[in-house]
Amino acid sequence: MENLLLTLTIFVLAIFVGFEVITKVPAILHTPLMSGANAMSGIILIGALATASNPELNLVSNILATSAIALATINVVGGFAVTHRMLYMFKKKK
């Protein structure tokens, strides 16, 4: 129980710090940060897949790993879609 409380506290603090950092980013730095976020989401995806495939973990770990897989996949696919759209905007018109 004590470990769960510590983990939840770290999780809530990470959400708060992440929100504060992202809201302070100027528009010109958005694209490099988005590509960095996509790279981190890819790493999270691999770690969550490894965690979800471990049969020795409890139900809570599997649920958290599954939700991490879903959210990281949405972030990666959305990032690629936005990047593709941005590259299309810079394409020369014929």
Side-chain angles (χ1 to χ4, degrees):
M1 185 68 176
E2 185 177 304
N3 192 16
L4 178 66
L5 185 62
L6 178 65
T7 304
L8 285 176
T9 303
I10 292 171
F11 181 68
V12 169
L13 287 173
I15 289 172
F16 177 72
V17 169
F19 179 77
E20 289 297 316
V21 168
I22 294 299
T23 55
K24 306 279 189 279
V25 172
I28 196 159
L29 292 177
H30 183 265
T31 303
L33 282 177
M34 190 174 70
S35 65
N38 282 342
M40 285 189 294
S41 290
I43 294 168
I44 290 168
L45 195 55
I46 292 170
L49 283 169
T51 302
S53 66
N54 188 350
E56 296 176 6
L57 295 177
N58 59 14
L59 179 65
V60 175
S61 297
N62 285 334
I63 290 171
L64 288 175
T66 304
S67 64
I69 290 169
L71 293 174
T73 302
I74 290 169
N75 192 25
V76 168
V77 171
F80 279 121
V82 169
T83 303
H84 179 68
R85 184 175 176 200
M86 286 174 40
L87 290 175
Y88 182 75
M89 288 172 40
F90 291 109
K91 204 175 194 181
K92 289 189 177 187
K93 306 280 191 255
K94 289 186 179 180

